[in-house]
Amino acid sequence: MATQPISPFPSVDRIARFEAVASLCEVYGRSAVIDAIRAVLDEHRTHREEPEYRSPSDDELSRQIADRLHDRATPRLRRVFNLTGTVLHTNLGRTQLSSRAIEHASMAMREACNLEFDLDSGGRGERDSLIEDILVELTGAEAATVVNNNAAAVLLVLAALAHKREVVLSRGELVEIGGAFRIPDVMRSANTRLIEVGTTNCTHPSDYQRAIGAKTAALMKVHMSNYKISGFVAHVSEAEVAHIAHEHQLPLIVDLGAGSLIDLSAHGLPKEPVVRETIASGADVVTFSGDKLLGGPQAGLIVGKRALLDKIKRHPLKRALRVSKPLLAALEGTLLAYRTPDLLLQELPTLRLLTRPVDEIEALANRVLPHLAAALGTQWQVDVTPVASQVGSGSLPIEVIPSMALICRPTSAKVGSALKRLARDLRRLPTPVIGRVADDALVLDLRCLEDEQGFIAQLGPLAAK
Ligand SMILES: *Cc1c(COP(=O)(O)O)cnc(C)c1O
């Protein structure tokens, strides 16, 4: 090994005067650049004693400093291509918002706005009133409000209407949604006593009747968002439970989970509960998510009878769970699309992707196929194959939607490790591509691929691997 000078590195000040480093000050400011120089030098000092260590040239040092600054300025939250086949993928952010929602949210973030200001009277306004009218119009309810997400909506409704009292719920509806939402735990947090009735597969009207007592605050129904009970089953419909509740002057609370504002079965999708129908069947309070089938931002919507909504809005938790102004604007921008029903499926990405025709996805797959096959080389066999997409987020759990995928199969023997490597390489692309591994193949479901050119343009680096 060559003899090393005592300090092989230029001083911080000298490095800061390198032309390539000095120009970084214009982008990042001097103090961040000095910090980066120190951090890179520290890194070199810790590795200096290692046998393979080689002192960096001035150019290498400059590049390492630039890379560090660039890396630290790059957000950790990044755009990805969702080719998992799950349209509302919770881990990938569920909904993509419509342009109108995004622009409206940008306005609310950028400018002053009448968030809680009544433009008619010049006095104080209510932020909820901005979206209450349209929610009432779209659901047929008397009143509406909005909180942070549907979990918050359920918690708030129970806390406001059933504090230290009992809520009757069928055993078959003790739902757990991914991410630690479990109905019994939510009840406990709201200081509500859960009265389970019926059995896992069968609940009858008489089960509800018998459970009602002096401490009952409400009857409840929870939509089985992510499972189905089949075989020997008996459920009591919302209309029947509402009837029983009203006989005892009690409200019926319904947690719909996804809750659609339109009937998706009219567009070739499996039937999901429509909020308007649930209200019409007699439910007094209905909660549902903003970022599931509605196609908007993360939010929890609460609609129902005015007297109950007044109570819910006045509860202290409401203030703690209230939504921000960009979110409220994104929600309003989303809801406005429902006033032009003929354009709705085109405007809201969630509904557009869910109803995308299979032949359109197949044509896309055939166009992308040669580019992906070329990028992957001879180690991989790539084919266009029919697959089944899912709605996701607990919506329409069992039903699947026909779709088309590019299926990548390794031609070598070591299938498992090849698949892992390819999945990793795809995640390392400039815009990470997220697929799924199934049946010894990597499956890229193209239902959610809209930026075809952007996807193809970045495949190059795969070939180099
Ligand atoms: C999804 C879901 C929730 C939770 O909704 P978030 O908006 O994710 O908080 C609660 N209940 C049911 C039945 C659901 O499907």
Side-chain angles (χ1 to χ4, degrees):
M1 208 164 81
T3 50
Q4 294 233 350
I6 311 281
S7 174
F9 309 119
S11 71
V12 172
D13 273 351
R14 238 202 85 214
I15 296 174
R17 287 195 300 273
F18 291 172
E19 205 178 310
V21 176
S23 66
L24 292 170
C25 291
E26 282 158 39
V27 183
Y28 301 103
R30 190 175 158 82
S31 62
V33 172
I34 298 293
D35 283 350
I37 295 171
R38 293 212 168 102
V40 167
L41 288 180
D42 278 350
E43 188 78 359
H44 279 287
R45 283 189 194 104
T46 54
H47 292 297
R48 245 182 95 189
E49 306 301 327
E50 291 166 15
E52 279 105 77
Y53 181 78
R54 201 177 45 75
S55 293
S57 68
D58 290 356
D59 280 353
E60 279 167 333
L61 265 183
S62 302
R63 204 168 327 113
Q64 287 162 8
I65 291 159
D67 286 350
R68 183 182 164 87
L69 285 160
H70 175 66
D71 182 56
R72 286 166 59 82
T74 304
R76 292 291 177 264
L77 182 65
R78 291 166 62 193
R79 174 193 175 195
V80 302
F81 282 109
N82 171 14
L83 304 191
T84 60
T86 301
V87 177
L88 293 171
H89 198 298
T90 297
N91 304 145
L92 302 181
R94 284 194 190 162
T95 45
Q96 296 159 235
L97 295 185
S98 67
S99 300
R100 178 158 32 174
I102 293 162
E103 276 150 32
H104 200 38
S106 304
M107 179 285 294
M109 287 190 279
R110 216 180 293 276
E111 315 287 349
C113 58
N114 62 329
L115 182 66
E116 292 182 353
F117 184 81
D118 185 341
L119 289 173
D120 286 332
S121 69
R124 193 178 187 286
E126 265 296 322
R127 65 176 71 195
D128 283 6
S129 63
L130 296 168
I131 44 93
E132 183 159 19
D133 287 350
I134 191 166
L135 275 172
V136 161
E137 174 189 315
L138 293 170
T139 62
E142 291 173 7
T145 188
V146 54
V147 288
N148 186 53
N149 55 23
N150 187 37
V154 175
L155 178 70
L156 172 62
V157 168
L158 292 171
L161 303 184
H163 181 71
K164 290 191 175 162
R165 291 169 67 204
E166 297 175 352
V167 168
V168 182
L169 178 67
S170 163
R171 286 205 166 84
E173 296 173 13
L174 296 173
V175 173
E176 171 174 330
I177 310 289
F181 177 92
R182 310 174 97 197
I183 286 288
D185 296 343
V186 177
M187 293 248 185
R188 212 167 303 124
S189 312
N191 216 340
T192 294
R193 180 140 179 259
L194 166 65
I195 304 294
E196 305 171 24
V197 297
T199 60
T200 305
N201 54 329
C202 290
T203 302
H204 305 284
S206 55
D207 293 323
Y208 289 97
Q209 300 273 17
R210 271 201 303 273
I212 294 173
K215 289 193 179 148
T216 310
L219 305 194
M220 186 170 186
K221 278 193 69 80
V222 178
H223 181 55
M224 297 180 212
S225 294
N226 51 4
Y227 64 103
K228 223 173 209 165
I229 301 176
S230 58
F232 181 60
V233 293
H235 298 297
V236 189
S237 73
E238 270 141 26
E240 281 176 277
V241 182
H243 183 72
I244 298 166
H246 298 163
E247 275 181 343
H248 294 84
Q249 281 80 49
L250 294 170
L252 169 63
I253 300 165
V254 180
D255 171 16
L256 276 189
S260 181
L261 292 178
I262 57 163
D263 183 358
L264 293 170
S265 63
H267 303 283
L269 289 169
K271 173 95 182 178
E272 264 287 285
V274 179
V275 182
R276 174 178 287 283
E277 292 172 6
T278 308
I279 289 288
S281 70
D284 299 281
V285 176
V286 179
T287 73
F288 55 105
S289 291
D291 58 352
K292 289 184 182 171
L293 293 173
L294 188 143
Q298 178 191 304
L301 300 151
I302 309 174
V303 301
K305 295 272 156 60
R306 182 175 309 286
L308 297 173
L309 263 288
D310 282 346
K311 227 171 160 180
I312 290 164
K313 290 178 190 178
R314 279 198 308 269
H315 193 277
L317 261 183
K318 170 64 176 52
R319 173 62 178 77
L321 300 173
R322 80 175 181 192
V323 295
S324 65
K325 69 178 175 168
L327 189 128
L328 200 66
L331 181 60
E332 184 179 34
T334 305
L335 291 172
L336 286 173
Y338 285 87
R339 282 192 174 149
T340 46
D342 299 345
L343 312 176
L344 181 65
L345 297 187
Q346 273 316 300
E347 178 164 346
L348 297 187
T350 301
L351 298 180
R352 182 171 72 228
L353 295 172
L354 284 174
T355 57
R356 198 173 186 191
V358 186
D359 51 1
E360 186 188 312
I361 305 172
E362 184 173 14
L364 167 68
N366 282 315
R367 288 196 302 276
V368 175
L369 172 68
H371 298 279
L372 184 64
L376 291 179
T378 53
Q379 311 268 36
W380 294 88
Q381 169 72 32
V382 187
D383 298 295
V384 175
T385 309
V387 290
S389 305
Q390 294 193 2
V391 180
S393 276
S395 323
L396 312 164
I398 313 300
E399 331 270 0
V400 289
I401 323 169
S403 186
M404 282 287 166
L406 290 169
I407 308 270
C408 312
R409 285 197 175 80
T411 47
S412 70
K414 285 194 180 144
V415 174
S417 58
L419 288 172
K420 254 193 203 134
R421 219 173 323 115
L422 178 59
R424 186 203 60 197
D425 291 345
L426 288 168
R427 287 196 306 273
R428 287 185 181 172
L429 288 173
T431 300
V433 173
I434 318 293
R436 66 187 148 93
V437 173
D439 303 331
D440 284 344
L442 190 86
V443 180
L444 302 176
D445 185 325
L446 298 196
R447 173 169 293 279
C448 295
L449 179 63
E450 297 201 293
D451 179 12
E452 177 180 349
Q453 293 315 317
F455 179 77
I456 291 170
Q458 67 158 5
L459 292 176
L462 278 180
K465 302 225 149 116

